Amino acid sequence: MTDRRIDAKWWKSSTIYQIYPSSFMDSNGDGIGDLPGILSKLDYIKSLGVDAVWISPFYKSPNKDQGYDISDYQMPDPAYGSMADVEAIIKGCHDRDMKIIFDLVINHTSDQHKWFQESRKSKDNPYRKYYIWKPARYIDGERRPPTNWEATFGGSAWEWDETTEEYYLHAFVVEQPDLNWEDAEVRQAIYKEAILFWLEKGIDGFRVDVSSHYSKHEYVDAPIIKPEQYIQPARAKYVDGPRLREYLEEMQRETFSKYDSVTLAEMSGTRTLENKLDFVGESSKRFSMAISFDLATVDHYGREATYLWWKPYDLQEFKKITEAEQFLSGPNTDGWALTYLENHDQARSISRFMNDSPEYRTISGKTLAMYLLTLSGTPIIYQGEEIGMINMPKSWPEAEYIDAASWMFIQTVRDDIQKGVKGIAEEEAFESLQRIARDHARVPMQWSNDHSAGFSSSAKTWMRVNPSYKAGINVAEEEKDECSVLNFYRRMLAFRKEHSDSLIFGEYQNLEAETEKTMQFSKKSFDGETLFVALNFSGEQQKASLPDSKGELLISSSTHPDQEDILQPYEGRIYRV
Ligand code: GLC
Ligand code: CA
């Protein structure tokens, strides 16, 4: 048994707030969020009680994948502002005693990056080796991509380039060519260009984009699941490749460790506990924490098959995943859990896991806050989650889903139907978008009752504003209401600090609930304080099944909690036992 408080690094007792720059705050009325907009809201972020800020990519980008296609690692996109603005944000966070974390997208670049522009020019260009080029394959005289791999969002993972008559690999959209990590010089260039440059500017760490993708498996065909066509689901081919661990160790050694910086590694392909510890255990020396996908895909049909195919989630599975993840922060490992319900790739959690109707939205949002902020490890709160933002209205047409992953998903479904591939019906595909599309998280942040939700002085914003801001879901309204989701986040974040021994560093124990509709667990500190958490995920009353004797109710997400330990619909409670 280890006391996890001893020598704990700063990030273990921190809560991180994630900003999606294009949708956070628009300072100049062009309908796009920007860096001065972020700067103007640092006091607000600080007022929540969080300790660190992570900003999604704001670098120069043609936005084929919303900034995750970078054409210059060392420059903010002009739409967002200048280098002076970036520096002001770094300083602004530090002045407020908050850490600042940037996004690191180095599995691929944009096809507009100077490296790729050079690389595609000729086979003997010095930058040729920066990307993964392969000759065509001919089947019955017809030109085909080198392997049958499908890209993550659909379509072939290989793109034919006329100039040199070869294919290049892209695990994501066509305009995101994958970098060739096998070459040592390429890796050094990435470290210097994308990592050391920013660490030198004083940031405190990185969120590391698709970090399980750097090493690819052998370039051989994926198993045939759709016999009607050449392209086959192939995610497994580009995650967790044979040299991944070696690359990650090298990167850690040559960059992050020199600055003692934190790393949140996006590890979509990493599922087992053993596997996770291999990446985030202190002794493994690879990353600080991992953003894992088990909970994020609890309401998706197998990721291998079709990325955005929705299915109702099962609370039992939700609990099992939580428990497994919590083990990482437990007394028997040297890992650390990272917990989140939302980010820019996930739909809104109230709409996914609770009830977003006007009657239950507030209590749902508060109870989810209680879930997130009573777990061990480091939580991430995504912009708008703290005011209980909900999904885009169901009445919105398909045209409002502008994310590449959304339209490529619909496209793939339509192609499959045409070819007679057994799969999803078109209505089912659209319902999937309504439930879990990434677009739901990307509409503008709701600041007030003003037009465009106070996000922009323009009526024309880059994504349509969710009309729910008029129904009280906005910062200004929630500031005034003591019982709002926003003020509950503040209260819970303070409570988490006060009870850090049990909530941050304590041991999680799942307690079998009497019904299948609640989640109940205890958090026990090293010195023996035990808190009991009971969360009702259903629309009916449920009993809190306190262990042994009666506990003292410390917090409820309901404004009128029942005295007899009956949970109201969607209510959450914390007791001291
Ligand atoms: C990560 C990002 C996502 C992006 C993808 C490709 O998953 O979070 O938004 O589309 O990487 O860079
Ligand atoms: Ca702007």
Side-chain angles (χ1 to χ4, degrees):
M1 285 278 274
T2 24
D3 181 349
R4 302 299 304 258
R5 293 167 301 185
I6 296 171
D7 294 333
K9 293 240 163 56
W10 64 265
W11 42 265
K12 292 197 175 169
S13 49
S14 293
T15 298
I16 301 169
Y17 186 84
Q18 183 193 352
I19 295 178
Y20 196 62
S22 49
S23 296
F24 192 57
M25 182 66 200
D26 174 21
S27 72
N28 62 352
D30 64 356
I32 307 169
D34 46 47
L35 297 167
I38 295 174
L39 192 63
S40 73
K41 294 295 184 187
L42 290 182
D43 285 331
Y44 165 75
I45 296 171
K46 178 73 186 173
S47 82
L48 299 172
V50 300
D51 313 276
V53 176
W54 149 31
I55 311 183
S56 274
F58 51 79
Y59 316 101
K60 199 155 188 288
S61 166
N63 284 326
K64 298 296 176 190
D65 184 24
Q66 268 310 303
Y68 284 90
D69 49 324
I70 298 174
S71 56
D72 188 338
Y73 285 108
Q74 304 189 345
M75 272 255 289
D77 195 274
Y80 293 140
S82 66
M83 186 58 95
D85 295 327
V86 181
E87 284 162 355
I89 289 175
I90 299 175
K91 182 164 185 305
C93 286
H94 289 160
D95 285 350
R96 289 167 179 81
D97 205 16
M98 292 192 291
K99 304 283 185 184
I100 175 82
I101 297 166
F102 284 176
D103 220 298
L104 179 61
V105 190
I106 49 180
N107 173 67
H108 42 261
T109 66
S110 157
D111 63 351
Q112 301 304 308
H113 193 283
K114 62 179 186 230
W115 292 343
F116 191 73
Q117 293 294 308
E118 286 298 317
S119 188
R120 73 183 343 171
K121 278 186 185 158
S122 70
K123 285 187 187 163
D124 54 13
N125 187 289
Y127 288 91
R128 187 68 173 180
K129 65 175 184 185
Y130 273 56
Y131 296 87
I132 301 164
W133 294 96
K134 298 265 182 251
R137 162 198 231 186
Y138 287 86
I139 300 175
D140 300 330
E142 266 195 73
R143 192 188 74 218
R144 299 277 196 200
T147 66
N148 65 3
W149 300 1
E150 184 179 53
T152 311
F153 304 146
S156 172
W158 297 96
E159 182 73 3
W160 177 250
D161 204 52
E162 277 301 334
T163 319
T164 54
E165 301 197 308
E166 278 194 330
Y167 284 92
Y168 66 84
L169 182 76
H170 61 91
F172 293 88
V173 306
V174 171
E175 297 87 352
Q176 283 168 308
D178 278 51
L179 285 158
N180 177 22
W181 276 72
E182 285 194 22
D183 189 281
E185 188 190 314
V186 175
R187 297 199 299 277
Q188 290 304 324
I190 296 170
Y191 302 159
K192 186 159 163 261
E193 188 96 4
I195 308 178
L196 296 169
F197 175 80
W198 291 109
L199 289 176
E200 210 38 55
K201 282 205 180 287
I203 67 166
D204 303 290
F206 288 102
R207 177 268 189 185
V208 193
D209 190 63
V210 293
S211 46
S212 45
H213 287 49
Y214 305 156
S215 165
K216 273 63 174 177
H217 289 274
E218 262 188 285
Y219 295 97
V220 294
D221 280 345
I224 294 178
I225 292 174
K226 298 178 173 179
E228 299 82 354
Q229 61 180 42
Y230 178 69
I231 301 301
Q232 302 296 325
R235 278 186 52 79
K237 294 288 178 192
Y238 34 71
V239 298
D240 231 341
R243 296 186 65 189
L244 182 63
R245 287 161 178 76
E246 172 198 334
Y247 298 156
L248 299 181
E249 252 163 57
E250 180 189 272
M251 176 162 68
Q252 168 71 18
R253 190 173 61 238
E254 300 198 10
T255 63
F256 310 131
S257 70
K258 293 191 174 151
Y259 294 79
D260 197 21
S261 50
V262 67
T263 46
L264 328 176
E266 192 196 24
M267 302 296 282
S268 52
T270 310
R271 293 298 172 115
T272 65
L273 179 72
E274 202 187 9
N275 212 212
K276 280 178 193 159
L277 276 176
D278 206 13
F279 291 108
V280 302
E282 242 161 75
S283 48
S284 84
K285 299 204 175 40
R286 292 184 178 115
F287 289 123
S288 319
M289 296 173 277
I291 300 176
S292 82
F293 275 62
D294 304 290
L295 199 70
T297 52
V298 67
D299 55 352
H300 295 219
Y301 278 105
R303 276 177 70 79
E304 297 307 324
T306 308
Y307 183 55
L308 283 174
W309 190 1
W310 176 79
K311 69 166 190 202
Y313 83 99
D314 168 7
L315 186 61
Q316 301 310 314
E317 207 184 324
F318 189 100
K319 291 194 254 185
K320 261 193 229 133
I321 294 170
T322 305
E323 188 174 12
E325 200 67 31
Q326 284 295 285
F327 189 81
L328 274 177
S329 282
N332 302 314
T333 79
D334 67 347
W336 194 250
L338 187 70
T339 52
Y340 70 97
L341 285 165
E342 293 185 13
N343 61 40
H344 64 292
D345 294 333
Q346 307 299 330
R348 292 295 181 177
S349 54
I350 296 178
S351 305
R352 287 171 76 187
F353 304 127
M354 288 287 211
N355 188 326
D356 64 7
S357 70
E359 188 183 354
Y360 292 123
R361 181 202 63 99
T362 301
I363 192 161
S364 294
K366 289 158 83 169
T367 299
L368 286 174
M370 192 178 272
Y371 165 84
L372 186 67
L373 299 175
T374 51
L375 295 177
S376 297
T378 300
I380 304 176
I381 299 170
Y382 178 68
Q383 66 180 50
E385 187 175 359
E386 82 278 19
I387 55 168
M389 279 178 68
I390 57 175
N391 277 359
M392 297 166 11
K394 289 236 156 74
S395 58
W396 279 11
E398 196 183 308
E400 303 292 350
Y401 293 82
I402 60 173
D403 172 29
S406 296
W407 59 259
M408 289 179 74
F409 168 66
I410 289 279
Q411 190 61 46
T412 307
V413 169
R414 292 198 175 119
D415 288 353
D416 280 1
I417 293 170
Q418 272 235 311
K419 286 187 231 141
V421 178
K422 244 183 84 185
I424 321 174
E426 208 166 325
E427 311 78 68
E428 208 182 333
F430 186 57
E431 193 192 351
S432 290
L433 290 190
Q434 291 177 319
R435 300 270 188 181
I436 55 174
R438 311 197 297 182
D439 304 83
H440 296 293
R442 300 178 177 193
V443 300
M445 173 74 183
Q446 296 167 196
W447 291 104
S448 72
N449 264 331
D450 290 351
H451 78 90
S452 294
F455 159 73
S456 174
S457 60
S458 166
K460 219 177 154 297
T461 50
W462 81 280
M463 273 193 87
R464 188 170 162 187
V465 174
N466 190 328
S468 66
Y469 77 90
K470 293 179 207 142
I473 311 182
N474 66 65
V475 174
E477 290 288 302
E478 295 197 20
E479 289 280 8
K480 288 185 277 189
D481 176 2
E482 222 185 294
C483 305
S484 64
V485 179
L486 174 61
N487 282 316
F488 194 74
Y489 263 90
R490 291 190 171 121
R491 201 170 143 206
M492 276 305 305
L493 279 159
F495 186 82
R496 182 175 175 80
K497 288 244 149 89
E498 278 158 37
H499 296 269
S500 61
D501 286 352
S502 45
L503 295 184
I504 301 176
F505 295 102
E507 193 177 354
Y508 174 95
Q509 197 191 350
N510 187 40
L511 301 171
E512 256 337 295
E514 273 170 29
T515 81
E516 307 228 310
K517 310 236 161 100
T518 61
M519 174 170 196
Q520 312 201 32
F521 55 87
S522 67
K523 293 299 300 290
K524 193 171 168 196
S525 79
F526 194 78
D527 309 321
E529 179 194 53
T530 303
L531 298 184
F532 173 73
V533 182
L535 311 169
N536 183 2
F537 280 76
S538 80
E540 301 114 50
Q541 291 189 344
Q542 307 289 340
K543 181 108 177 79
S545 8
L546 286 160
D548 353 304
S549 59
K550 217 169 156 45
E552 176 197 353
L553 179 61
L554 301 181
I555 295 196
S556 159
S557 62
S558 160
T559 26
H560 306 289
D562 171 277
Q563 294 314 307
E564 300 304 315
D565 302 326
I566 302 295
L567 301 166
Q568 295 309 303
Y570 306 106
E571 183 188 347
R573 293 178 170 205
I574 305 174
Y575 292 89
R576 195 200 316 266
V577 291

